[in-house]
Amino acid sequence: MSRGYQRKSDDNEQDQVQDALELFAKEGAREMLAAALEEEVRTFLGRGRYRRGKDFRGYRNGNHRAREVTVGLMGVEVRVPRVAQVPVEVSEEGFRSRIVRRYE
């Protein structure tokens, strides 16, 4: 009686593994998008969160409503940061993310 080192799995177990991998990939994509958006706002304002800059370029004003963005073959929920009271000298149209487009 020889037993292999791998046991055969049923379809339900394979589905569970697939779901776990998909969830892991989705969460990783969401975290990377959030970090990229945060860096984009930090660069636009010229300062980090809770810091003061030399020139006023606007201030953080929370986030827009959560929305789903398609990344590869899956949708990822993301919250785009808002920037308020951007002086016209800095940007006539205010802050616009280059990563996630505005609702149209």
Side-chain angles (χ1 to χ4, degrees):
M1 286 181 142
S2 162
R3 295 179 99 178
Y5 67 91
Q6 292 180 339
R7 65 186 175 93
K8 294 189 178 190
S9 61
D10 59 356
D11 288 338
N12 188 28
E13 191 173 317
Q14 287 177 346
D15 289 344
Q16 288 177 346
V17 170
Q18 185 66 29
D19 289 346
L21 287 173
E22 194 172 301
L23 184 64
F24 184 71
K26 201 174 209 179
E27 183 61 23
R30 188 195 63 75
E31 286 181 14
M32 286 192 304
L33 266 173
L37 288 166
E38 184 60 34
E39 180 62 24
E40 187 178 40
V41 170
R42 189 194 67 71
T43 301
F44 179 81
L45 293 176
R47 65 183 192 282
R49 187 177 286 261
Y50 307 116
R51 303 278 185 233
R52 291 186 179 189
K54 294 178 183 177
D55 299 323
F56 179 73
R57 298 180 55 88
Y59 64 90
R60 295 169 189 271
N61 187 21
N63 296 301
H64 291 283
R65 288 182 293 131
R67 62 189 257 204
E68 194 168 282
V69 177
T70 303
V71 178
L73 298 174
M74 68 180 120
V76 176
E77 188 173 279
V78 66
R79 294 179 65 104
V80 179
R82 279 195 278 199
V83 178
Q85 295 186 358
V86 176
V88 177
E89 310 81 63
V90 174
S91 175
E92 289 183 12
E93 54 189 35
F95 172 73
R96 290 194 122 180
S97 175
R98 293 182 178 172
I99 299 170
V100 177
R101 286 192 239 161
R102 288 185 181 185
Y103 284 120
E104 305 242 355

